Amino acid sequence: MLLAVGLPLLLLAGCAAVVITIGGNADRVVTTADEPKARVDLSAPSQQPTLATQAAPETGATDPAGVPTSSPPSQAAAARVGEAITLAGRDPGLQVAVTVNQVFATATSANSFLKPKTGYRYAAVQVTLNPTGQAVYSDAPSNGARLIDSEGQQYDSTVSQVSEGPSLGGSVTVSPGDSRKGVIVFEVPEKAVLVKFQFALNSGFADQKGEWLLN
């Protein structure tokens, strides 16, 4: 009778005392009475976030004084009356030698009905255009011409005709090896002292500009 009662109690006590060790670590145990939760792999090394370093950008070369070694392109010196400047246009192969032949500080109107406005006079610059590249020069030369006085004021050309020579006020077409000569007319103040003439191809929109000193 005592044997029949004691045997079940002994078995129940033994079940409560049974333990299962995990990974050989005695500090963590799960009893057979508990439901095991999701497993955690303690053997894997912990992953720590890393910071990526970014190299500093390289700067341009400098001289010992700390000034960049690169320099802006040099500017061509101004020419004199009678000298030619070869200018490049925006079109491939467009290149024209431009010569300022003569300057008329005061020019005479070729039309008795067309006169400068009060306080102004006509001035004219005679130029020769000679294409030296591979492309045909076709443009209105007067659109790319400017006169500048001693006070830095700039004047555009006018369509007026003068007695000093045929005008280049209209459009011209010149093949390589050929040339055109004529005057470009300006209307300027009577007291203006003209000091510079500027010219550029493509009606003044080409990157290169020629400059001539007039005195």
Side-chain angles (χ1 to χ4, degrees), residues 51-71:
L51 293 178
T53 58
Q54 183 176 4
E58 296 183 358
T59 57
T62 58
D63 62 14
V67 179
T69 56
S70 59
S71 58

Side-chain angles (χ1 to χ4, degrees), residues 77-94:
R80 297 283 181 175
V81 174
E83 298 177 344
I85 297 177
T86 299
L87 301 173
R90 305 182 73 177
D91 306 321
L94 179 58

Side-chain angles (χ1 to χ4, degrees), residues 1-169:
M1 180 74 176
L2 292 176
L3 181 61
V5 175
L7 183 59
L9 294 176
L10 180 61
L11 291 175
L12 180 61
C15 290
V18 174
V19 297
I20 300 174
T21 62
I22 298 178
N25 189 346
D27 294 332
R28 298 193 58 198
V29 298
V30 179
T31 64
T32 55
D34 296 330
E35 288 292 334
K37 297 185 179 355
R39 295 185 58 188
V40 178
D41 187 0
L42 300 178
S43 63
S46 61
Q47 299 294 326
Q48 298 293 332
T50 58
L51 293 178
T53 58
Q54 183 176 4
E58 296 183 358
T59 57
T62 58
D63 62 14
V67 179
T69 56
S70 59
S71 58
S74 59
Q75 300 293 328
R80 297 283 181 175
V81 174
E83 298 177 344
I85 297 177
T86 299
L87 301 173
R90 305 182 73 177
D91 306 321
L94 179 58
Q95 201 170 43
V96 180
V98 182
T99 305
V100 172
N101 304 311
Q102 195 172 356
V103 178
F104 303 95
T106 300
T108 306
S109 174
N111 189 327
S112 59
F113 297 99
L114 294 177
K115 302 290 184 180
K117 60 187 176 183
T118 303
Y120 281 72
R121 72 181 194 269
Y122 287 144
V125 179
Q126 186 189 70
V127 300
T128 297
L129 306 174
N130 179 20
T132 58
Q134 302 299 317
V136 173
Y137 171 69
S138 182
D139 196 10
S142 60
N143 290 343
R146 305 288 185 273
L147 265 183
I148 301 171
D149 67 13
S150 58
E151 296 183 359
Q153 297 180 103
Q154 179 174 288
Y155 306 97
D156 295 333
S157 63
T158 179
V159 296
S160 300
Q161 304 288 323
V162 295
S163 301
E164 281 68 21
S167 175
L168 282 178

